[in-house]
Amino acid sequence: MPVSFLILLILAVDLLSKYLVRAYLAGGPPISVIGEFFTLTYVENSGAAFGLLSQKAYGPAILLFFALLFTLGLIYLLRQLQYEPLRWGLALVIAGSLGNALDRALRGFVTDFLTFKFGDWYFPSFNIADSAIVIGCILLAALILWDHQAQAELEAIFVQDKKGPRHG
């Protein structure tokens, strides 16, 4: 599967899930999936991860700017990579970043809805895009730590030799 298809598939699933949540959960009570452990709960997150910067009037605009800048950098890197596992990990991060950036650009907030609770403690609500970002980052970290082919390709891209940086 080409990474562009993976990005579009995750982006479509993310945007569709957010649309359905806004259409059917906004203003209503949470829906129990597994008792109180896992619920679908409509949340408007105007901040970054876990609501950071949500209290600032300029927060959403700053977050959108940096998310788009970050995503453009990742797309540039993706175009340089040849090793498929690295490309897939990066594609997951790009898809998630685009999903949340589109939501923020269109609404001024990100729609979150997956909520887990363990006794009195709960994990802040998140969405499909957030999941893609986390899974992509875990994959990339594992590749960087333990995959010699991934390490060699990244070193060729980021480490300058006597001839200068790699172009292409």
Side-chain angles (χ1 to χ4, degrees):
M1 168 188 341
V3 293
S4 56
F5 180 75
L6 177 63
I7 291 170
L8 291 175
L9 177 65
I10 292 171
L11 187 58
V13 170
D14 177 62
L15 295 176
L16 176 63
S17 66
K18 291 172 180 173
Y19 167 79
L20 293 172
V21 164
R22 285 190 303 276
Y24 295 104
L25 285 178
I31 295 175
S32 172
V33 178
I34 303 174
E36 289 186 7
F37 171 71
F38 175 39
T39 60
L40 301 177
T41 308
Y42 177 75
V43 176
E44 294 179 1
N45 182 355
S46 60
F50 315 122
L52 295 174
L53 291 177
S54 61
Q55 302 303 317
K56 306 289 183 190
Y58 52 83
I62 289 173
L63 293 172
L64 179 59
F65 172 77
F66 282 111
L68 291 174
L69 190 64
F70 175 73
T71 303
L72 288 173
L74 293 179
I75 291 169
Y76 176 77
L77 177 60
L78 179 66
R79 293 182 52 165
Q80 295 184 48
L81 294 173
Q82 301 299 315
Y83 188 47
E84 283 302 308
L86 281 173
R87 291 174 54 82
W88 284 47
L90 208 51
L92 289 167
V93 175
I94 290 168
S97 180
L98 285 174
N100 282 341
L102 280 172
D103 208 23
R104 188 175 310 283
L106 295 171
R107 286 169 196 79
F109 60 86
V110 173
T111 305
D112 289 332
F113 57 92
L114 301 169
T115 306
F116 289 87
K117 183 177 179 185
F118 307 91
D120 291 335
W121 181 86
Y122 79 96
F123 193 81
S125 297
F126 58 99
N127 58 44
I128 303 296
D130 298 330
S131 300
I133 292 169
V134 169
I135 293 167
C137 286
I138 290 170
L139 175 58
L140 290 170
L143 291 168
I144 289 167
L145 290 172
W146 296 299
D147 187 309
H148 297 295
Q149 188 172 348
Q151 293 166 357
E153 181 163 4
L154 291 170
E155 185 174 323
I157 292 171
F158 288 109
V159 177
Q160 296 182 15
D161 60 22
K162 294 177 183 172
K163 296 177 185 176
R166 174 181 160 177
H167 298 286

